[in-house]
Amino acid sequence: MMLLEKSLSAIVALLLVAMLINGMLLILRPGKDWRELTLRIRTWWAIVIVFSLALLSPQWLALTFFALVSCMALKEFLTLVPVRHSDRMPLFWMVIAIPVNYGLIGSGWYGMFVVFIPVYVFLFLPALMVIAGDTQGFLRTASQLHWGLMTTVFAFSHVASLLVLPADGKQTGALLVLFVVGLTEFNDVAQYLWGKSLGRIKVTPRVSPNKTLAGLLGGIVTTALAATLLGPIITPLSWPMASLAGFIIALTGFCGDVVMSAIKRDIGVKDSGTLLPGHGGLLDRLDSLIFTAPVFFHFVRYFYF
């Protein structure tokens, strides 16, 4: 427990540094609007507290928490996309897939977990849609249901998979969760700071105009440095592998952010909801983690477990 508490302290320290930088910017550069950054940091405080409580809980309770987050995120996604009346049965089985997916994680059955949704559920859902007999918008609806389940349940559940990955009795799994969640949030703030301060060249002007090359590169360098410092202390990663992990987290976090932004633009909404101040809905906050968690999980599993 001592190492876990120290790791939590390190994540809190990162947030305190972000708050300090935010305060300095408010004083030194009063002409710019820093309200979004302030809201982002406040929201990340809430997320860190909630995640910390989950990690300090018994494993079954932590898995239940992550399953509920997936359920809420999927529900939020389904409120954004058009759902046909004939899709009631596929939607029902999508909800059933959530506890089954997390049950496979809790049982340690990795082989079934990694194919359950991407193979079996993905093939099963269109078959149910065919039985309903409604072919109007069939392909678009199937794609939307698949994407919603892939992101909010399968991809996000890799956070929980990290929690149970090493059965060594040393809380390594919880530390890996803190590492990826903490660096994902740190990268989010770092990219915003670099982009707001020095950003000129737009990376994705038609999708997310606020994303700049300075923000992307600055976030990658800053996150890789933070990973190099934290990784060898709280995870099994050596410093070169921790640096690589930081680079991967920063890059995939950026990809997750812009991909979900493109989806919201296609749907025609700015935010997925209003649950989290400064971030809109739950999906607005999970966008980066949806990409960083599965990539980091398989990176760690391949090289260390």
Side-chain angles (χ1 to χ4, degrees), residues 133-160:
D134 186 359
T135 59
Q136 184 68 34
F138 180 89
L139 182 58
R140 183 176 180 85
T141 301
S143 301
Q144 289 173 340
L145 297 184
H146 279 170
W147 179 255
L149 202 60
M150 170 61 78
T151 53
T152 62
V153 182
F154 182 68
F156 176 73
S157 66
H158 281 78
V159 178

Side-chain angles (χ1 to χ4, degrees), residues 207-250:
V207 177
S208 185
N210 293 327
K211 298 296 181 184
T212 65
L213 184 61
L216 172 60
L217 297 179
I220 289 176
V221 172
T222 308
T223 304
L225 179 60
T228 304
L229 297 174
L230 289 177
I233 299 175
I234 69 174
T235 72
L237 278 64
S238 61
W239 74 262
M241 295 300 284
S243 299
L244 180 58
F247 171 82
I248 292 173
I249 289 172

Side-chain angles (χ1 to χ4, degrees), residues 225-281:
L225 179 60
T228 304
L229 297 174
L230 289 177
I233 299 175
I234 69 174
T235 72
L237 278 64
S238 61
W239 74 262
M241 295 300 284
S243 299
L244 180 58
F247 171 82
I248 292 173
I249 289 172
L251 185 60
T252 54
F254 174 84
C255 292
D257 195 344
V258 295
V259 167
M260 297 305 289
S261 293
I263 292 173
K264 286 183 289 185
R265 283 190 176 273
D266 180 39
I267 296 172
V269 298
K270 182 180 184 297
D271 296 319
S272 63
T274 58
L275 180 64
L276 301 173
H279 288 295

